[in-house]
Amino acid sequence: MKAMILAAGRGSRMGDLTNVTPKPLTRISNTTLIEKNIKNIRKSGIKEIIINVSWLGDKIINHLGDGNKYDVNIYFSDEGKDMLGTGGGILRALDLLDKDPFWLVNADLFCDFSIDIKKTLINDDLAHLVLVDNPEHHPDGDFLLKNGRVSVCNKSMPLTFSGISLISPKIFKNINKKVFPLEPILKKYASQNKISGEHFKGTWIDVGTKKRLRDTEYELSKKL
């Protein structure tokens, strides 16, 4: 099994912090956000990791190298200045991911979710989503979850997509555009009952702003 880390975003909500340092290399304690996620992926037993890069991507590539120091093999999908979006970035990297389902993780997460490499997609499912309680910055949520099935409605929903998922490459079948986000595709297939999910209640922070970076540092201080 392989994993992909999404690391191409501009990180503009972090303000001047990402002018010269890409958000995935934001430091927390003695490591960086992306390195923490690499180590979490490695704990699961996965050793093949694909990372897409764009904004200041050369700094991420130079910092991580080939992955040897993390006991993994890292392959980069360099989008240059294109910024293809979360969906477009995955589509471009499919040749590196092969045909089997893969775990997908956002680079800017601070989370203690444990990836299960024995997890499989059943029947015609195209994804399995890890969902969390709606955070303060996203009160309307993304999805509903009942009996392990993910769905959507026209009202506010109680759960938010964590940025962690098991994805089948088949979810991108018949997509001809190059630049697009992933979430509308997930909602499309959730409405067709083709996505499973689980509710994660552990530590999870989407480190998208300076405030949430401070929240992350606070969570780390409690563990020391």
Side-chain angles (χ1 to χ4, degrees), residues 123-137:
N123 301 324
D124 295 326
D125 281 355
L126 295 174
H128 177 84
L129 307 186
V130 178
L131 306 175
V132 297
D133 292 328
N134 291 346
E136 181 180 327
H137 63 272

Side-chain angles (χ1 to χ4, degrees), residues 183-206:
E183 190 167 314
I185 297 173
L186 297 178
K187 290 189 173 182
K188 170 187 173 181
Y189 287 112
S191 68
Q192 298 176 15
N193 194 31
K194 292 187 176 182
I195 294 183
S196 62
E198 63 186 281
H199 185 186
F200 175 66
K201 299 181 181 181
T203 299
W204 176 87
I205 301 174
D206 170 13

Side-chain angles (χ1 to χ4, degrees), residues 3-221:
M4 181 172 182
I5 298 178
L6 296 175
R10 170 68 175 82
S12 56
R13 291 176 298 170
M14 295 286 280
D16 57 358
L17 292 181
T18 54
N19 286 345
V20 294
T21 301
K23 185 166 63 168
L25 293 185
T26 300
R27 298 204 66 82
I28 48 169
S29 188
N30 61 347
T31 187
T32 64
L33 287 172
I34 195 168
E35 286 175 289
K36 187 178 188 308
N37 284 297
I38 288 171
K39 292 171 184 176
N40 284 346
I41 291 170
R42 179 64 187 90
K43 285 180 183 178
S44 74
I46 296 174
K47 296 190 68 173
E48 304 288 308
I49 301 176
I50 290 82
I51 301 175
N52 72 325
V53 295
S54 178
W55 174 254
L56 301 177
D58 57 326
K59 292 192 175 184
I60 297 175
I61 294 171
N62 292 335
H63 187 86
L64 300 179
D66 61 6
N68 182 63
K69 57 186 173 182
Y70 312 106
D71 191 31
V72 298
N73 297 314
I74 293 178
Y75 307 93
F76 292 98
S77 177
D78 192 348
E79 300 172 11
K81 297 181 180 180
D82 292 341
M83 286 204 188
L84 303 177
T86 49
I90 301 167
L91 180 61
R92 178 169 176 156
L94 284 186
D95 287 344
L96 296 171
L97 290 161
D98 298 328
K99 297 180 180 181
D100 295 324
F102 57 91
W103 279 95
L104 181 69
V105 179
N106 288 354
D108 56 357
L109 297 181
F110 178 79
C111 182
D112 57 9
F113 176 78
S114 296
I115 288 175
D116 180 5
I117 61 171
K118 295 181 180 180
K119 173 69 69 175
T120 58
L121 298 177
I122 61 172
N123 301 324
D124 295 326
D125 281 355
L126 295 174
H128 177 84
L129 307 186
V130 178
L131 306 175
V132 297
D133 292 328
N134 291 346
E136 181 180 327
H137 63 272
H138 191 59
D140 291 333
D142 300 311
F143 296 102
L144 302 168
L145 179 67
K146 185 177 182 180
N147 299 325
R149 306 304 300 174
V150 175
S151 60
V152 294
C153 67
N154 294 325
K155 301 178 182 179
S156 294
M157 290 171 277
L159 297 174
T160 289
F161 177 41
S162 70
I164 303 172
S165 54
L166 180 64
I167 300 287
S168 168
K170 294 178 182 178
I171 204 169
F172 298 103
K173 185 178 180 181
N174 298 325
I175 294 181
N176 298 316
K177 51 189 174 182
K178 294 182 178 180
V179 182
F180 59 95
L182 175 63
E183 190 167 314
I185 297 173
L186 297 178
K187 290 189 173 182
K188 170 187 173 181
Y189 287 112
S191 68
Q192 298 176 15
N193 194 31
K194 292 187 176 182
I195 294 183
S196 62
E198 63 186 281
H199 185 186
F200 175 66
K201 299 181 181 181
T203 299
W204 176 87
I205 301 174
D206 170 13
V207 190
T209 64
K210 291 181 179 179
K211 178 186 180 302
R212 281 179 251 155
L213 177 58
R214 292 194 296 270
D215 292 342
T216 303
E217 293 167 341
Y218 174 70
E219 286 295 327
L220 268 176
S221 69

